[in-house]
Amino acid sequence: MFTKFVDDLANNLSEDSFEFSGTTRTLRLRTCHGTYIHSNASGHMRHSTLKDSSEFTWEEGSVSKGRKAFRNVSNQRFLCVERDSKVVCDRPKPQDFESFLVEIGGDNDTSRNSIVAHNSRFLCAHPSGTIVVNRYGPQNWESFHLEVGPFSPFLFGGSLKDMMAHQKKLGKSQNEIPDIIFSLAGAIRSLGGHSSTGIFRLSADSNRVASCKAVLNSGRLIDEYEDVNLPAHLLKAFLRELKEPVVPFDVYALIIKAGEGMLWERASELIRTMDSVHATVLIFIIKFLQSFLLPAYSAVTLMNSNNLSLMFAHNLLRCPSNTSPAEMLTNTKLESSFVKLLLENV
């Protein structure tokens, strides 16, 4: 299976996946955590967010059928697995590619690969940020996914516009909002969120949240959740961690400037000034939350427009980072008032 995967790799990935340089080709590797692999000054492997693309670009050297070797373009270090299970980068001569053989394997999605070193240990991104290696059987390849560029944009911490552009490019979805939002909202409904007391107010298990984020960031959706509070928590986290909030910063400034007593007519004008992606997501979220305000549901969930506006204001709007504590306190009230106005009028 692994040999077939490597044989088909070049055919199944578009040429945009690689930068060609002479007879070698370069690529970037991203872990299932949505972070990129690079080597720090000490030579140890780390995974961190993209800053300088050259730090995360690797030359792929094909040594023998079914095996590859990787060399970092920026510092010419090779992937190397040490006896203590640390992954480091060494600086051998170019002819030593064969000393750093790794095997590429994957599931049916060729944009996600797994890497196992020549000693059958898998690359693993540790929560501390260090890349280490673990021993698992072939059935656990999916736990060690690496993505080969071009990449799907980050979901948590990503851009709504980038997500929609990528989604349309793939052509697999007709949704006018990112699939992750549609999926999480559907999970909340199917798990009985409308009859769950304290929905959106109760937190979920932090370990499960982290593992679900890793899966979602890898480009896969989750079919089943064991607890309705998990997709509810993930929906809020997704909205809160967006690169640019659902309500863009320029519109946010106008909302704060308008102060207390904003009328629906003014709020609707501001929504119309937003780009279509952000406006569509905002209206979807508001409509979704409105379904919880039906008397039969709110009597059970104990969530009214006041509660929901408090729960979602800081997930939909965001204070600029240079705002003073006193201003933040004032703005928080205005943010909640704006969301409540939408809940009661959209």
Side-chain angles (χ1 to χ4, degrees):
M1 179 182 69
F2 301 147
T3 301
K4 182 179 184 302
F5 176 84
V6 175
D7 289 343
D8 294 343
L9 181 63
N11 294 329
N12 290 334
L13 289 173
S14 69
E15 291 193 359
D16 292 338
S17 301
F18 303 95
E19 299 171 12
F20 287 88
S21 175
T23 58
T24 64
R25 57 186 181 181
T26 59
L27 64 157
R28 285 182 293 163
L29 301 177
R30 188 171 80 182
T31 73
C32 61
H33 298 272
T35 51
Y36 292 87
I37 288 183
H38 71 115
S39 57
N40 62 17
S42 67
H44 284 84
M45 299 304 301
R46 306 283 295 183
H47 65 132
S48 56
T49 55
L50 183 64
K51 294 179 181 178
D52 177 2
S53 61
S54 64
E55 295 180 11
F56 304 94
T57 304
W58 296 80
E59 288 180 321
E60 179 185 2
S62 182
V63 181
S64 61
K65 189 174 183 180
R67 292 184 177 274
K68 304 286 182 182
F70 293 94
R71 180 172 58 190
N72 189 285
V73 171
S74 67
N75 57 22
Q76 297 299 302
R77 289 179 179 268
F78 289 76
L79 285 180
C80 175
V81 180
E82 292 198 336
R83 292 181 181 179
D84 63 357
S85 296
K86 288 288 194 303
V87 180
V88 297
C89 275
D90 279 358
R91 294 181 183 270
K93 297 177 182 179
Q95 62 266 30
D96 291 330
F97 254 106
E98 62 273 13
S99 301
F100 301 91
L101 291 176
V102 293
E103 211 168 1
I104 300 178
D107 53 22
N108 292 327
D109 184 347
T110 56
S111 67
R112 292 196 299 269
N113 311 314
S114 302
I115 287 185
V116 59
H118 58 84
N119 59 3
S120 297
R121 292 176 178 267
F122 290 83
L123 294 188
C124 175
H126 192 270
S128 68
T130 302
I131 302 295
V132 296
V133 285
N134 287 347
R135 287 187 186 273
Y136 286 96
Q139 67 271 20
N140 292 115
W141 278 81
E142 65 273 9
S143 301
F144 301 92
H145 278 318
L146 293 168
E147 293 185 4
V148 179
F151 308 111
S152 59
F154 291 147
L155 295 182
F156 290 86
S159 158
L160 287 175
K161 292 179 183 178
D162 289 346
M163 292 176 208
M164 287 308 301
H166 180 73
Q167 196 166 294
K168 289 180 179 179
K169 183 178 179 180
L170 292 178
K172 297 178 181 179
S173 171
Q174 300 300 315
N175 292 329
E176 295 183 356
I177 60 173
D179 288 337
I180 183 176
I181 300 178
F182 197 82
S183 175
L184 291 171
I188 294 168
R189 288 193 191 97
S190 63
L191 288 169
H194 288 92
S195 58
S196 178
T197 302
I199 187 68
F200 301 120
R201 195 168 60 221
L202 299 178
S203 60
D205 179 77
S206 59
N207 290 328
R208 287 292 295 130
V209 169
S211 62
C212 287
K213 278 187 174 182
V215 172
L216 293 168
N217 261 337
S218 73
R220 293 170 291 170
L221 296 177
I222 299 172
D223 294 328
E224 295 183 4
Y225 295 91
E226 63 274 15
D227 175 14
V228 68
N229 293 312
L230 187 51
H233 184 112
L234 289 166
L235 178 61
K236 292 191 298 179
F238 170 79
L239 297 172
R240 183 173 60 253
E241 296 173 18
L242 286 170
K243 186 175 182 180
E244 183 175 23
V246 175
V247 177
F249 289 115
D250 57 342
V251 177
Y252 177 89
L254 296 174
I255 293 170
I256 299 303
K257 185 178 180 181
E260 292 280 4
M262 181 187 291
L263 299 176
W264 165 241
E265 288 74 17
R266 177 55 176 159
S268 61
E269 287 177 5
L270 292 176
I271 294 174
R272 286 195 292 271
T273 67
M274 294 167 54
D275 64 86
S276 60
V277 173
H278 283 249
T280 303
V281 169
L282 177 61
I283 296 302
F284 178 89
I285 294 296
I286 294 300
K287 290 285 190 182
F288 175 61
L289 295 179
Q290 284 176 336
S291 68
F292 290 83
L293 296 178
L294 295 174
Y297 296 143
S298 61
V300 179
T301 64
L302 305 180
M303 298 297 287
N304 54 31
S305 59
N306 285 324
N307 294 335
L308 286 175
S309 62
L310 286 172
M311 289 295 102
F312 275 85
H314 67 289
N315 298 314
L316 298 172
L317 302 97
R318 188 184 310 157
C319 250
S321 58
N322 59 352
T323 307
S324 70
E327 287 178 305
M328 284 185 181
L329 183 60
T330 302
N331 291 359
T332 297
K333 297 176 182 178
L334 298 175
E335 293 164 8
S336 297
S337 296
F338 179 75
V339 174
K340 184 180 179 182
L341 181 65
L342 300 188
L343 288 171
E344 295 177 347
N345 290 276
V346 168

